[in-house]
Amino acid sequence: ETGEYSVVKTQEDETVDGTFNHWSYMTGWDMKTRKIKVELNDGMADYWGMGVLFGIRQFRVLGWVHEDVEVVSAGQPITANSESTGLSALLDADNSTIWEGNSDNSWFE
C-alpha cells in the first residue's frame, strides 16, 4: 500500500440494485484519478449454507477523457500478479483491450 489517498466515496454512497447477485453502484467524482483503493472487510455469506463468503465478482471503473490531456502514469512502474494478462492495457488508450487477473488474488498497482 503506497501513495497518498483522499477519501471521495464510502459504502454509505453505494446504491444497491437487486438482492441476489446484485449490482452495487457509486457515482463518480470530478477529479483526475490515477489510483482507486478499495478495502474489502467482510464477504457476504452464501445462500446455500456451505460456509463460504462471497466478495466482488466484477469491478468496473468508467471514466472519460479530460480536455486537458495529462499523462498521469508517466514514469510510474506498473506491476500485477504473475497470472495476469494484458498489463499494458491498463495504460493504453484502446477501449478494446482488457487486463485480466486470472487469479483468486488478483492485483495491480
Side-chain angles (χ1 to χ4, degrees):
E1 185 173 317
T2 59
E4 295 180 23
Y5 293 88
S6 299
V7 175
V8 293
K9 298 287 179 172
T10 66
Q11 188 172 358
E12 286 78 34
D13 300 301
E14 174 187 29
T15 301
V16 176
D17 183 11
T19 54
F20 185 76
N21 286 329
H22 71 269
W23 284 91
S24 296
Y25 300 92
M26 285 190 183
T27 58
W29 50 90
D30 189 27
M31 62 188 297
K32 293 179 183 177
T33 304
R34 190 175 85 217
K35 293 182 179 182
I36 297 174
K37 180 179 179 180
V38 177
E39 293 181 319
L40 303 177
N41 293 324
D42 300 315
M44 175 177 262
D46 70 290
Y47 293 99
W48 305 277
M50 302 298 285
V52 297
L53 298 175
F54 291 114
I56 293 176
R57 185 177 298 168
Q58 289 186 16
F59 186 81
R60 296 182 185 177
V61 177
L62 307 176
W64 60 89
V65 177
H66 287 270
E67 290 181 22
D68 298 324
V69 176
E70 176 183 350
V71 179
V72 296
S73 60
Q76 300 294 321
I78 302 170
T79 57
N81 57 295
S82 60
E83 299 88 358
S84 69
T85 56
L87 187 58
S88 62
L90 292 169
L91 294 178
D92 67 18
D94 184 349
N95 290 336
S96 68
T97 60
I98 189 168
W99 172 80
E100 294 186 17
N102 300 321
S103 171
D104 289 340
N105 188 18
S106 297
W107 57 270
F108 64 84
E109 61 181 23

